[in-house]
């Protein structure tokens, strides 16, 4: 709003006038905040959780934390593929829900999930088979390269389930279930990943292997929770809620159609 006010001469060119501010109502702002705040808090929770995991990694030693930070770049690189697919599915899913097409919405979810799993299987197997080559992209230090190789199985499990969870959480978001995603993320992070990682390195393996198994366990829990959310979704209710938010019925009434 402040930006529009300061750049009024620009927004006026695209048809935004003083009377257009009447479109910004309290009800619409509150409706937006109901979606935005849980989504923002979910993202914040993810960053806080990874900060704690980073503290656990730092306690393992210099080589371990170096390997953890470098190997996590591989996970993020793979996330570019899954993230792109996730956003495209969100757009198509939102369009299908807006059109009231339940069958198309379900088809998009199934197709997107299948493609994501196929991509992740290929990526995970590639990292598992060529771990040394991936490690050499970051360092030629033998100690760190060996840590890459020793921890490759839990690292690949983390790669698979982290990316799958990121894709799955986009589906409820597209359906307007940001609060549900927030609750699932909090449980997966603070009742799953953080305590599992702590217990693994404290009482099982005080090394990168234990840490990665704890992280992978948290993502498995999150994947299960999000899968249950998607499976139990009432698409009829989702469509009605989306139409209410977009004020479709109000527009129809106003036009007299």
């Amino acid at each position: 709003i402040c930006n529009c006010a300061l750049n009024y001469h620009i927004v006026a060119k695209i048809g935004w006038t003083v009377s257009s501010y009447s479109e910004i109502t309290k009800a619409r702002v509150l409706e937006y905040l109901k979606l935005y705040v849980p989504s923002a808090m979910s993202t914040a929770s993810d960053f806080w959780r990874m900060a704690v995991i980073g503290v656990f990694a730092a306690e393992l030693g210099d080589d371990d934390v170096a390997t953890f930070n470098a190997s996590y770049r591989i996970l993020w690189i793979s996330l570019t593929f899954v993230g792109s697919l996730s956003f495209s599915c969100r757009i198509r899913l939102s369009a299908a829900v807006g059109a009231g097409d339940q069958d198309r919405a379900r088809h998009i979810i199934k197709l997107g999930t299948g493609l994501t799993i196929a991509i992740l299987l290929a990526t995970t197997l590639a990292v598992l088979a060529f771990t040394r080559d991936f490690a050499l992209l970051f360092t030629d230090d033998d100690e760190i390269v060996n840590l890459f190789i020793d921890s490759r199985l839990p690292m690949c499990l983390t790669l698979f389930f982290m990316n799958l969870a990121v894709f799955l959480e986009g589906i409820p978001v597209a359906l307007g279930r940001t609060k549900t995603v927030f609750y699932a993320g909090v449980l997966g992070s603070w009742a799953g990943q953080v305590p599992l990682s702590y217990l693994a390195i404290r009482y099982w393996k005080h090394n990168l292997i234990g840490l990665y198994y704890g992280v992978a366990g948290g993502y498995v829990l999150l994947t299960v929770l999000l899968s249950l959310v998607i499976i139990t979704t009432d698409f009829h209710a989702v469509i009605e809620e989306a139409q209410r938010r977009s004020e479709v019925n109000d527009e129809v009434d106003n036009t007299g159609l």
Side-chain angles (χ1 to χ4, degrees), residues 21-40:
Y21 287 98
S22 62
E23 298 295 326
I24 305 175
T25 64
K26 179 180 178 181
R28 289 175 177 175
V29 171
L30 290 176
E31 197 66 45
Y32 171 78
L33 291 176
K34 287 179 183 178
L35 297 176
Y36 175 77
V37 172
S39 182

Side-chain angles (χ1 to χ4, degrees), residues 7 19 44 46 55 76 80 97 102 117 128 146 154 157 159-160 167 178 183 188 194 201 215-216 225 230 239 250 252:
N7 298 280
S19 61
D46 287 343
V55 172
W76 277 96
T80 59
V97 170
Q102 297 185 38
I117 291 174
L128 192 62
N146 289 332
L157 288 174
L159 185 155
F160 184 89
F167 173 82
T178 55
Y183 290 141
V194 170
I201 64 173
V215 173
L225 292 173
I230 295 168
I239 289 172
D250 293 343
V252 170

Side-chain angles (χ1 to χ4, degrees), residues 224-251:
V224 171
L225 292 173
L226 291 172
S227 298
L228 291 174
V229 169
I230 295 168
I231 292 171
T232 58
T233 294
D234 183 347
F235 280 89
H236 180 71
V238 166
I239 289 172
E240 286 188 342
E241 186 178 336
Q243 291 178 340
R244 178 188 59 78
R245 281 198 304 269
S246 58
E247 301 176 0
V248 171
N249 294 331
D250 293 343
E251 291 179 7

Side-chain angles (χ1 to χ4, degrees), residues 147-214:
L147 278 174
F148 261 93
I149 296 172
D150 292 341
S151 59
R152 62 181 176 178
L153 180 56
M155 179 180 69
C156 286
L157 288 174
T158 301
L159 185 155
F160 184 89
F161 285 104
M162 181 191 85
N163 283 274
L164 183 57
V166 168
F167 173 82
L168 292 178
E169 73 179 6
I171 295 174
V173 168
L175 299 176
R177 296 291 193 261
T178 55
K179 187 180 293 185
T180 303
V181 172
F182 169 68
Y183 290 141
V186 168
L187 285 174
S189 295
W190 303 102
Q193 192 171 112
V194 170
L196 284 176
S197 299
Y198 176 81
L199 293 172
I201 64 173
R202 188 66 60 189
Y203 300 106
W204 182 42
K205 291 181 179 292
H206 190 70
N207 54 29
L208 195 58
I209 297 174
L211 180 64
Y212 258 132
Y213 270 119

